Structures are given as C-alpha cells and as structure tokens.
Amino acid sequence: MTIGFRVLQAQRKVSPEWVARFREVPVANVSDSMNRMTAGGANLRPMHRAGVLAGPALTVKARPGDNLMLHYAIDIAEPGDVIVVDAGGDLSNALIGEMMVAYAVKRGVAGIVINGAIRDAANIGAGDFPLFAAGVSHRGPYKDGPGEVNVPIAIAGMVIEPGDLVIGDDDGLLCVPYDEVAAVYDRAHAKHAAEVKQLEQIARGENDRRWVLKSLQQKGCALPQ
C-alpha cells in the first residue's frame, strides 16, 4: 500500500437518522455543546445560495491544485455523503466547478467541502447544493495526484475521520466525531430549545438581565455610584 496515493474503504458512517436530527439544530448550538473548541476555520464559507449541509464525511486528502482524487471520490460516493477535501487551503487553482457539481448532484452527494478554491462561482452561488470553500480562482486544476481517499484529515485543527458527521450553515462548518454524535445532539438540542425559549422571553420583555451587572461586580469592574 502506497502512503500518500491510495483509496481506503470506510469502516463506518453516521446514520441517516442522526443526519436528519442535526439538520434541525443550528451549527452554533452544536459548537457551543462541544465547548467551542472545534471549528473548520473562518475561511471556509458557504458558496451556495442557501441550504444546510449535513452528512457523513467521505474524506479526501489532495495535493494543492490537483483534483484527481476528488473526481474519484465523487465516482464512489454513496447518496447522502459529504465529500470533504483537504487541499491545504491553497487558492491558486480551483478544484471544482459547475460541471463537477452537476455530476455530484446527479450522484446524490449531500454536499462538498473544499479547503481550497472553486470556480464558476456565480453558477454555484445561484444554486442550493451545499458547497463550502476557502476561496475562488478562475485557474483550473491539475489531474495528476497523488492523494488519498477515506483517511483522517484536518482542516484548521479540526480532525475529520471517514464517516464522521459534517454539518454546515451560514455560520460555518463543524465536524462531530462518530462516537460523540448522540451525546452532542442531546446537549445541542437542549441548548437550541433554551435559546428558543429565551427569544420568546425577549419578545415579551421578560428576559432577566441581572446576570450582567452581577458578573461585572464579581469581576471588580468600576461602576458609577
């Protein structure tokens, strides 16, 4: 087996049931429930018009500027998969454009994450296929490899293993480890419910703000007498 140029078989992936549940929870609530210690970096932004990203990760480690392994990942993706590509964040060459997106949609891919650049941004931006990327470049990719599929990757310190849950919305991208999905969901769902209740209290003018003054006093802030 050649390290750096290989395709492995994924051993597990989050179920469609968990994917559906996480679609109903804002990414920010999930992030808070993971102690705000995990993120895909502020550079990864949604390039599509609207739509939530959620699904099991099909990971790709690509040479910057080269999309050969991404092409193969689309070929082998199962419906509902999210293809996540670590291309080193390089923006010199776009790794995907409207033709590859059209093929991914036809294959039933749930979304694509590119730690790198895309092109055909206007066409992609007018659609609802979830696509996150770090930037845009008109320069096309090479197709020579090497690269790897279904290996652990990392983006901005966020480790993503094949089959982990990947979610994204307008606030950014997040990975929930396979073994932590149930526990994280319970906390995130409770957090979301609490925030909905708080918004209702704000609308009624009943939200309790005494904690702000109390916190300032406890921290020794000088306040007017």
Side-chain angles (χ1 to χ4, degrees):
M1 181 178 294
T2 304
I3 295 177
F5 205 3
R6 58 184 179 173
V7 177
L8 302 183
Q9 181 69 45
Q11 300 301 311
R12 61 187 187 180
K13 66 168 64 178
V14 294
S15 69
E17 291 75 20
W18 281 121
V19 173
R21 290 185 184 186
F22 273 87
R23 282 185 175 277
E24 305 302 319
V25 182
V27 171
N29 291 152
V30 182
S31 178
D32 287 349
S33 300
M34 297 173 68
N35 286 303
R36 307 177 180 93
M37 291 295 292
T38 302
N43 290 336
L44 287 177
R45 303 304 307 159
M47 297 291 174
H48 54 292
R49 177 179 58 188
V52 173
L53 173 74
L58 194 172
T59 60
V60 178
K61 184 179 290 186
R63 181 169 68 90
D66 191 291
N67 74 353
L68 176 61
M69 302 311 282
L70 171 56
H71 271 284
Y72 189 66
I74 299 175
D75 283 342
I76 65 173
E78 297 179 345
D81 283 350
V82 172
I83 298 175
V84 187
V85 184
D86 174 18
D90 182 79
L91 303 181
S92 300
N93 299 79
L95 297 193
I96 195 169
E98 63 177 319
M99 292 180 64
M100 289 178 69
V101 167
Y103 178 52
V105 171
K106 185 68 173 180
R107 291 280 303 158
V109 173
I112 296 178
V113 178
I114 306 286
N115 188 22
I118 69 165
R119 67 178 181 180
D120 302 323
N123 179 279
I124 291 171
D128 295 330
F129 177 77
L131 197 159
F132 285 70
V136 177
S137 173
H138 57 77
R139 295 172 60 180
Y142 302 99
K143 295 176 173 59
D144 303 309
E148 297 179 300
V149 176
N150 278 325
V151 297
I153 60 174
I155 299 176
M158 182 177 71
V159 177
I160 307 168
E161 297 195 32
D164 283 351
L165 176 66
V166 178
I167 56 176
D169 60 19
D170 287 339
D171 287 333
L173 189 80
L174 183 60
C175 174
V176 182
Y178 177 91
D179 291 328
E180 305 295 333
V181 164
V184 170
Y185 175 79
D186 288 343
R187 293 193 294 268
H189 183 266
K191 173 73 172 176
H192 182 50
E195 289 193 355
V196 170
K197 182 178 180 180
Q198 188 175 0
L199 285 169
E200 293 171 350
Q201 291 172 336
I202 290 172
R204 296 194 302 265
E206 298 174 355
N207 55 312
D208 187 351
R209 302 291 297 170
R210 288 175 295 180
W211 69 269
V212 179
L213 179 58
K214 182 178 180 180
S215 180
L216 292 174
Q217 292 171 334
Q218 289 177 339
K219 296 177 185 298
C221 178
L223 297 167
Q225 300 299 318

